[in-house]
């Protein structure tokens, strides 16, 4: 099988991203909504000088509903059947009907540009047979 390359896409300047404020973007294409979070502390897979920036697909792995970021609980919550996912632990499901973690968007930090870039996806985006289609 052929694996198509992931795009490298700038999401935001690190200096513009406030701690615990979701940044909305699409990756690897316009039909795939995602959220980036700067946690303010080192987390699994986090990038940047403090290893604190992570990003996830916001399509729930159960049936594809859009998960939202709960700033108080610092989790992703699905409004459809109440699955909860942990952004500090690679998108792992905490509670609910989903059987897969939220796909984690792999980020890179370009220090010279202070840029956060999306470069790949770990996990299969809901409803797809391949992430790059
Ligand atoms: Fe998210 Fe069912 S679609 S828990």
């Amino acid at each position: 099988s052929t694996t198509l390359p992931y795009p490298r896409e700038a999401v935001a300047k690190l200096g513009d991203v406030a701690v615990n404020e979701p940044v909305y973007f699409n990756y690897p294409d316009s039909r795939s909504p995602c959220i980036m979070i700067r946690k303010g502390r080192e987390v699994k897979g986090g990038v940047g000088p403090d290893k604190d920036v992570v990003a996830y697909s916001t399509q729930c792995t159960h049936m594809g509903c859009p998960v939202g970021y709960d700033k108080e609980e610092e989790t992703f919550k699905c409004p459809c059947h109440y699955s909860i996912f942990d952004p500090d632990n690679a998108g792992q499901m905490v509670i609910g009907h989903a059987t897969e973690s939220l796909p984690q968007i792999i980020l890179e930090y370009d220090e010279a540009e202070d840029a956060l870039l999306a470069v790949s996806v770990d996990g299969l985006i809901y409803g797809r047979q391949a992430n790059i289609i």
Side-chain angles (χ1 to χ4, degrees):
S1 69
T2 308
T3 305
L4 296 171
Y6 280 97
R8 283 175 70 82
E9 284 184 9
V11 177
K13 298 270 191 195
L14 178 63
D16 293 338
V17 180
V19 170
N20 207 34
E21 287 290 338
V23 175
Y24 297 85
F25 67 106
N26 294 298
Y27 186 83
D29 56 50
S30 62
R31 297 179 310 283
S32 176
C34 302
I35 287 179
M36 185 171 74
I37 305 281
R38 181 178 189 180
K39 295 308 305 283
R41 60 177 182 271
E42 183 172 342
V43 290
K44 198 166 183 177
V47 305
D50 299 328
K51 299 187 180 355
D52 66 338
V53 184
V54 286
Y56 294 92
S57 165
T58 56
Q59 286 176 272
C60 183
T61 53
H62 178 222
M63 292 179 71
C65 286
V67 302
Y69 184 65
D70 182 318
K71 289 200 275 185
E72 296 200 345
E73 295 186 12
E74 299 187 26
T75 58
F76 288 101
K77 289 185 171 175
C78 182
C80 290
H81 317 100
Y82 310 110
S83 287
I84 298 177
F85 301 90
D86 183 1
D88 294 4
N89 196 16
Q92 191 176 75
M93 191 187 64
V94 181
I95 296 173
H97 294 272
T99 55
E100 304 284 339
S101 300
L102 276 185
Q104 185 161 16
I105 309 304
I106 306 303
L107 302 172
E108 283 180 15
Y109 177 61
D110 179 335
E111 194 174 348
E113 301 285 331
D114 191 40
L116 293 155
L117 302 124
V119 300
S120 180
V121 180
D122 185 5
L124 187 60
I125 296 165
Y126 179 80
R128 299 191 177 203
Q129 293 183 326
N131 287 332
I132 302 289
I133 51 180

